[in-house]
Amino acid sequence: MIKPLRAHIATCLAVCIAASIALAGNSENAFAASGSDLVPLIQPVGSTQESTLQNNARIPQQTTQETADTAGSLGVGLTYSGSTLTVYTVLHGTAALYAGLKQKDQILSINGTDVTGGKLADAFAMLRGPVGSHVTLQIKRGDRLLTLDAIRSINHGSELSTRMYGKIAIINILQFGIATEKDFPSIIQGIANKHPSGIILDLRNNSNGYLDDAKLVADAFLPQGSPLAWIYQQKNKPYLLKTDQPPVIAATTPVIILTSIATAGEAEIVASALQESHRATIIGEHTFGANTTNGIGHFADGSYRTEAPFSWLTANATDVLKTTGVHPDVVVLQTANITDTLLQKAIRMLQK
């Protein structure tokens, strides 16, 4: 059994956790008594769709040789939509990006092996291999059939980065992992000491991490005791996860969250909690809509971790799978332009 605040999220919609619970609908959610609390009921996913983020995964240390042989990967987020293996995000600075892989590409085969109707675990196994080795991908992009050659590598992208734009603090969190746990408390306190005029929390393409590290971020913005999400774990009583620390950022400091279609899992928990608490404005695209996790995660530092899977609803008992993710307050679609129009929009909003 996992500890509630070390629950690890990685998005995988094929896992059905709450086998005997049902959700009546987004506008009229069903509730059940659990002790003295009313617990919203959640429906098993019941979908053939599954997804997760493949990013430099490493087998646990007990298989040292296999670890050395599988150090390279592509840095790509994949999902099975029906029977089709589809790209939902390509991480910056990774082999997938340099090979020309794009969001919404459909992968037909990997090194000549048909992956239609397969499993993500098998696809990831084919994508991993020695650093510097090649992977041949046959893909469908719109009406075109393409063959791409990718060279496996290790992504050295930063999990957590910050910068100031005048008096506006910009925080980018690619995943909620070790760096977030270690560095975020001092970083957010340093930002608070500068008395920023606004904060931009960039959660685009964030679809991997630990629930307690996501909670650590939410703690910094919400009043102590604020609800974050309903957590449903097999064999355990559902519970309402809440913040348990005083906020670091003043309640008068405006916050904008940036999201994309590849924002998933614990990043959706953070985004929905701040939105439902009216603490932040979300701009960008609707998020992925991952209400169930498979307890397997791959991190940019090369680590690979597994813990028990669970499902979740937002604090207001909304099922993000049914609503197709968390919906932004201001819709701004991502483009292929070099200029980050979404970030510029957020800056302009805070400068008003």
Side-chain angles (χ1 to χ4, degrees), residues 9-349:
I9 278 183
T11 58
C12 181
L13 301 182
V15 183
C16 298
I17 305 303
S20 62
I21 25 190
L23 183 64
N26 293 319
S27 60
E28 296 180 355
N29 290 324
F31 285 77
S34 176
S36 59
D37 299 323
L38 288 177
V39 179
L41 301 180
I42 187 171
Q43 177 182 340
V45 176
S47 169
T48 57
Q49 185 186 44
E50 59 174 337
S51 68
T52 191
L53 180 69
Q54 192 266 347
N55 182 19
N56 309 314
R58 185 174 66 200
I59 305 302
Q61 291 184 355
Q62 59 264 32
T63 54
T64 306
Q65 184 59 46
E66 190 173 5
T67 297
D69 290 343
T70 59
S73 65
L74 302 189
V76 61
L78 302 176
T79 178
Y80 263 107
S81 180
S83 61
T84 305
L85 185 63
T86 305
V87 176
Y88 74 82
T89 186
V90 177
L91 299 182
H92 295 291
T94 60
L97 181 67
Y98 297 135
L101 205 60
K102 296 183 178 181
Q103 190 180 42
K104 298 183 181 180
D105 281 348
Q106 297 178 350
I107 299 179
L108 306 179
S109 69
I110 302 174
N111 287 335
T113 300
D114 187 355
V115 293
T116 304
K119 296 182 178 180
L120 282 175
D122 295 335
F124 291 155
M126 287 185 276
L127 291 177
R128 300 182 193 118
V131 173
S133 61
H134 289 248
V135 181
T136 300
L137 304 174
Q138 288 187 334
I139 68 168
K140 182 178 181 181
R141 180 178 297 162
D143 296 329
R144 293 187 297 163
L145 295 179
L146 303 172
T147 299
L148 301 181
D149 181 67
I151 302 176
R152 295 181 178 99
S153 63
I154 295 179
N155 176 29
H156 296 288
S158 175
E159 170 184 318
L160 172 64
S161 62
T162 62
R163 64 187 188 276
M164 296 295 296
Y165 186 89
K167 291 288 290 182
I168 298 173
I170 303 171
I171 307 171
N172 180 275
I173 305 179
L174 182 60
Q175 57 192 19
F176 294 106
I178 295 174
T180 304
E181 179 181 3
K182 178 183 177 183
D183 299 330
F184 183 78
S186 60
I187 287 175
I188 197 65
Q189 186 60 62
I191 290 174
N193 293 342
K194 295 179 181 179
H195 305 289
S197 60
I199 294 177
I200 298 173
L201 183 60
D202 192 345
L203 298 182
R204 289 175 292 179
N205 299 329
N206 184 325
S207 53
N208 206 26
Y210 281 108
L211 179 58
D212 60 335
D213 295 330
K215 175 188 168 297
L216 183 69
V217 173
D219 279 346
F221 298 98
L222 293 171
Q224 188 170 359
S226 297
L228 296 180
W230 287 95
I231 304 299
Y232 299 78
Q233 188 188 343
Q234 196 171 26
K235 299 181 181 179
N236 289 335
K237 183 185 298 184
Y239 68 94
L240 181 60
L241 179 66
K242 299 180 180 181
T243 60
D244 56 12
Q245 300 295 325
V248 178
I249 300 300
T252 55
T253 304
V255 178
I256 290 179
I257 296 176
L258 308 185
T259 59
S260 69
I261 187 64
T263 302
E266 71 283 1
E268 291 179 292
I269 291 178
V270 173
S272 65
L274 268 67
Q275 184 186 54
E276 290 181 350
S277 298
H278 305 289
R279 183 62 187 91
T281 299
I282 299 178
I283 73 171
E285 301 173 318
H286 72 80
T287 62
F288 188 78
N291 73 344
T292 304
T293 75
N294 69 349
I296 303 175
H298 314 291
F299 293 85
D301 64 358
S303 61
Y304 172 104
R305 301 175 179 88
T306 62
E307 290 185 291
F310 62 88
S311 297
W312 66 279
L313 296 177
T314 74
N316 287 349
T318 298
D319 185 343
V320 296
L321 176 64
K322 288 191 170 185
T323 60
T324 320
V326 178
H327 287 256
D329 301 293
V330 180
V331 177
V332 180
L333 300 181
Q334 291 195 124
T335 67
N337 296 334
I338 296 176
T339 302
D340 193 339
T341 55
L342 181 54
L343 179 59
Q344 290 188 345
K345 172 72 172 179
I347 291 173
R348 289 195 299 268
M349 289 174 63

